[in-house]
Amino acid sequence: MQSTTYSLDSIRSDFPVLERKVRDNKPLVYLDNAATTQKPIQVIDAITDYYKNHNSNIHRAVHALAEESTEAFEATRGKVAKFLNVADTREIIFVKGTTEAINLVAYAWGRDNVQKGDIVVTTEYEHHSNIVPWQLLTQETGAELKYIDIDENGELMLEQLDEYLATGKVKLVAVSHVSNVLGTITDVKEIIKKCKNADAKILIDGAQAVPHMKVDIGNLGCDFYAFSAHKMLGPTGVGVLWARKEILEKMRPFLGGGDMIREVHKYETTWNDLPYKFEAGTPNVADVICFTAAIDYLTKIGMDNVRNHEIELTKYALEKMSKVKGIVIYGPKDPEKQGGVISFNFKDVHPHDVATIVDKNGVAIRSGHHCAQVLMEKLEVPATNRASFYIYNTKQEVDVLIDSLDQVAKVFKL
Amino acid sequence: MSADPIYTEMIIEYSRNPSNFGKIENPHIHRHDSNPLCGDSIDLYVNVDGNKITEVKFDGKGCAICMACTSVLTEMIKGKNLEEVKNFKKDDLLSELGLEHLIKTSPVRIKCALLSLKALKYGIYSYFVDKMNDTEAAGNLKEEAASLY
């Protein structure tokens, strides 16, 4: 790690679970970070501290604990805004995760702005959470859903977007910033430019981007941006939807209930101000507050250092993996063009057999369709294996993975 | 690797060269089943003559465990009476491949091992109920299939 204040050893010592032994006393090698990351002691302590000392509902009561909790909750909103270079904290809406954020847009914006004959564009490498809400929306409204295909390097064929935009019917383009399977980093700047020219809105699924690289929403120019806390050292059950204030103000609420109202009468209700209009019910107070500790942790390390560390590990892993017998690696295969995610298969060996064999060595990788069945169809495989890295992973851990993969080749006589 | 082996020679061999792999056109019993979380997906085809299983085939995609267990199951039931096959237990199949330990050690992979047995039990159930109109013969096969894993 390039940081002056943080060594890899000191980072690792902040993560209690990394001391664990699994499967016949093997040290845990956790390479499933694209699914969820482990939590540093700072985040774990923050959760305990909250419930021990501050627990209260927020935004309503005037007693001391309620004020402390409300203040801490809103402080996280400020932290998130600063982390993403967002000037107006009212544009930060807390939800339970990326999936809910995208659904919020599909329901609260989509139902009023997408009609029969319109087009919604997504891509072949989306997570189901950025496909299914648009299927529901287009099926309900009679609009059309179009896909930007990927080429053999796992990169988007953006000329297809030009064709769609040229029809003048595209209302929304929904694309992930970094593919959760291939790791491909999307050229979002280029897509945003194209969308602006065609007057189409753009939503970015940043679940695999915000945890791993500097994301400057203030200067990006998109309309909606979604991500989850648990993929960046934070607790589960917390996600963020960022959207432009002008758009949020015109949108109808997503869920109705407490906290999102100004006045409720028998037959009519006026909405609360942003962002509360979109935060009905008691939010996930404890976990939102503890998300602060995760953002602080990443800020101290520095997102450029996080990215550089992952580039280094990905480069190292790609080099070594390409020499494993019988392996097929998907995606760009270029550490500069992808996040710390490598998807691969062995010829004729099912990914679950691969995952089981490496698991015996204590290595946690993911096998399956990664909630990206459209992409699996494109790759013509039922599933892939995926190793994904984060700030605490080491080259030695990559070596354990490689040894395990060699073992797979041996067991299956490749 | 741990003490209970999964990837034995036999399993690798079956996964490479599955038995009874293929399709029966217009079979008496056809059942498709899949494990959505891991992606195993098979179609099981069975022909019967009276009460006797005369022909069994399967096709689909799956991991080595799924392919091996399905192969062995097809071998085991060919030529048997439906009554006999109805009473097949998990262990009858798993022990053929030395995989009984999966029940305890791997609640995830046990699904791969038992997918074909589940498909078979459902298949025989609908054969009795839908084709033979004999709910009595079907017994509690459906419940049994649903609770296999």
Side-chain angles (χ1 to χ4, degrees):
Chain A
M1 183 89 34
Q2 300 289 309
S3 169
T4 46
T5 46
Y6 278 78
S7 72
L8 195 44
D9 281 345
S10 78
I11 287 173
R12 287 184 69 83
S13 68
D14 285 331
F15 290 80
V17 79
L18 297 181
E19 287 159 30
R20 261 209 65 179
K21 302 279 194 286
V22 292
R23 308 289 187 206
D24 300 329
N25 221 22
K26 303 275 184 359
L28 171 70
V29 175
Y30 187 79
L31 301 178
D32 192 17
N33 294 289
T36 195
T37 64
Q38 298 300 340
K39 318 304 172 200
I41 192 68
Q42 289 82 346
V43 169
I44 299 167
D45 284 348
I47 293 173
T48 316
D49 175 66
Y50 173 76
Y51 281 118
K52 264 180 163 171
N53 299 310
H54 307 285
N55 178 47
S56 161
N57 211 327
I58 55 167
H59 291 152
R60 289 294 186 255
V62 295
H63 58 75
L65 295 187
E67 279 193 355
E68 283 169 18
S69 293
T70 303
E71 205 175 306
F73 188 89
E74 292 307 324
T76 304
R77 204 187 301 277
K79 275 263 151 87
V80 172
K82 198 170 165 222
F83 189 69
L84 301 170
N85 190 29
V86 168
D88 193 335
T89 56
R90 288 173 296 179
E91 295 180 335
I92 304 290
I93 296 160
F94 285 118
V95 290
K96 72 178 182 196
T98 309
T99 300
E100 187 184 324
I102 296 173
N103 276 277
L104 191 161
V105 176
Y107 280 87
W109 180 85
R111 262 67 179 169
D112 284 338
N113 290 281
V114 175
Q115 287 146 17
K116 193 175 164 61
D118 290 341
I119 293 174
V120 173
V121 179
T122 185
T123 87
E124 280 187 326
Y125 64 43
E126 296 310 307
H127 189 282
H128 293 163
S129 63
N130 206 16
I131 291 179
V132 181
W134 310 121
Q135 286 178 347
L136 291 169
L137 174 67
T138 50
Q139 283 161 8
E140 200 179 300
T141 57
E144 205 180 342
L145 183 61
K146 298 269 198 189
Y147 287 84
I148 305 174
D149 295 340
I150 56 165
D151 63 18
E152 63 277 13
N153 295 320
E155 292 179 58
L156 295 177
M157 293 157 74
L158 288 186
E159 59 277 13
Q160 289 179 341
L161 176 61
D162 293 333
E163 283 169 35
Y164 301 145
L165 291 172
T167 63
K169 292 177 180 169
V170 176
K171 281 287 154 71
L172 179 80
V173 176
V175 57
S176 55
H177 201 157
V178 173
S179 156
N180 74 311
V181 180
L182 303 173
T184 316
I185 299 172
T186 308
D187 189 352
V188 287
K189 279 198 176 143
E190 183 63 23
I191 294 178
I192 289 166
K193 204 168 79 188
K194 289 177 189 291
C195 289
K196 292 273 166 225
N197 291 335
D199 207 21
K201 295 274 183 288
I202 165 130
L203 175 142
I204 299 175
D205 168 356
Q208 301 293 343
V210 175
H212 305 283
M213 59 183 71
K214 195 172 259 171
V215 174
D216 183 346
I217 290 180
N219 284 311
L220 202 54
C222 61
D223 299 294
F224 304 99
Y225 198 103
F227 65 98
S228 300
H230 73 97
K231 293 185 197 289
M232 49 188 294
L233 309 179
T236 51
V238 176
V240 170
L241 171 69
W242 170 87
R244 289 181 187 289
K245 202 175 72 187
E246 313 85 84
I247 301 175
L248 289 172
E249 276 170 346
K250 282 190 206 139
M251 275 161 65
R252 283 194 290 168
F254 176 40
L255 302 171
D259 221 21
M260 51 78 71
I261 53 90
R262 180 165 299 287
E263 280 176 40
V264 177
H265 305 287
K266 246 182 177 171
Y267 300 107
E268 62 194 296
T269 293
T270 48
W271 314 130
N272 200 341
D273 295 331
L274 292 175
Y276 312 111
K277 180 170 119 183
F278 294 102
E279 293 180 352
T282 298
N284 188 348
V285 181
D287 293 317
V288 166
I289 288 173
C290 300
F291 184 28
T292 285
I295 296 175
D296 285 344
Y297 197 93
L298 289 172
T299 306
K300 266 189 189 164
I301 293 174
M303 291 312 291
D304 288 334
N305 289 327
V306 171
R307 173 73 184 133
N308 287 335
H309 179 65
E310 289 185 27
I311 288 176
E312 212 175 301
L313 279 181
T314 307
K315 185 165 177 265
Y316 183 76
L318 280 170
E319 270 169 26
K320 294 221 158 187
M321 280 170 85
S322 62
K323 292 182 188 122
V324 174
K325 244 182 168 178
I327 206 165
V328 181
I329 300 171
Y330 305 103
K333 297 186 273 288
D334 177 347
E336 299 291 337
K337 287 186 176 174
Q338 69 192 88
V341 174
I342 303 175
S343 265
F344 60 95
N345 263 332
F346 281 88
K347 196 173 165 287
D348 298 336
V349 182
H350 193 282
H352 274 75
D353 296 321
V354 177
T356 294
I357 291 174
V358 302
D359 171 64
K360 300 256 184 206
N361 293 329
V363 182
I365 59 169
R366 170 80 195 275
S367 58
H369 55 58
H370 316 288
C371 297
Q373 283 187 314
V374 171
L375 177 59
M376 296 298 117
E377 268 179 40
K378 172 76 172 200
L379 299 175
E380 294 179 341
V381 295
T384 69
N385 294 283
R386 178 186 70 187
S388 51
F389 310 118
Y390 210 33
I391 52 172
Y392 35 69
N393 290 126
T394 65
K395 286 185 179 169
Q396 289 80 357
E397 288 182 312
V398 174
D399 290 339
V400 179
L401 170 68
I402 301 297
D403 286 347
S404 308
L405 297 181
D406 284 334
Q407 215 169 350
V408 172
K410 212 172 131 200
V411 168
F412 280 88
K413 304 190 177 89
L414 298 177
Chain B
M1 306 274 281
S2 79
D4 295 319
I6 295 175
Y7 297 100
T8 57
E9 287 285 328
M10 191 159 51
I11 290 203
I12 303 291
E13 182 49 36
Y14 269 121
S15 76
R16 286 282 155 72
N17 300 301
S19 311
N20 300 311
F21 196 81
K23 192 178 177 178
I24 300 175
E25 295 297 334
N26 305 314
H28 296 120
I29 299 173
H30 171 214
R31 178 79 189 180
H32 169 82
D33 211 337
S34 63
N35 284 324
L37 289 177
C38 70
D40 294 330
S41 167
I42 57 161
D43 282 89
L44 189 66
Y45 313 93
V46 178
N47 273 341
V48 291
D49 184 2
N51 229 353
K52 194 175 168 189
I53 294 179
T54 52
E55 210 183 353
V56 194
K57 285 204 182 303
F58 82 100
D59 61 14
K61 281 181 180 167
C63 62
I65 299 175
C66 174
M67 287 291 133
C69 286
T70 310
S71 292
V72 168
L73 183 72
T74 60
E75 288 176 0
M76 289 171 83
I77 64 172
K78 210 177 199 170
K80 295 248 170 31
N81 281 326
L82 285 177
E83 279 307 311
E84 229 177 308
V85 171
K86 252 173 67 181
N87 297 322
F88 254 54
K89 298 276 173 286
K90 292 181 206 183
D91 268 356
D92 296 333
L93 173 62
L94 296 173
S95 59
E96 286 290 312
L97 286 160
L99 289 175
E100 308 95 301
H101 60 85
L102 280 184
I103 294 177
K104 277 194 188 139
T105 57
S106 184
V108 179
R109 301 313 302 274
I110 194 72
K111 295 177 185 171
C112 311
L114 296 177
L115 178 65
S116 54
L117 187 59
K118 180 168 154 243
L120 178 68
K121 296 219 174 226
Y122 269 122
I124 298 177
Y125 174 84
S126 26
Y127 176 73
F128 280 131
V129 172
D130 302 332
K131 288 205 173 153
M132 311 303 286
N133 224 348
D134 188 349
T135 44
E136 201 182 317
N140 60 353
L141 266 181
K142 199 175 169 186
E143 292 71 33
E144 219 189 296
S147 60
L148 263 183
Y149 56 81

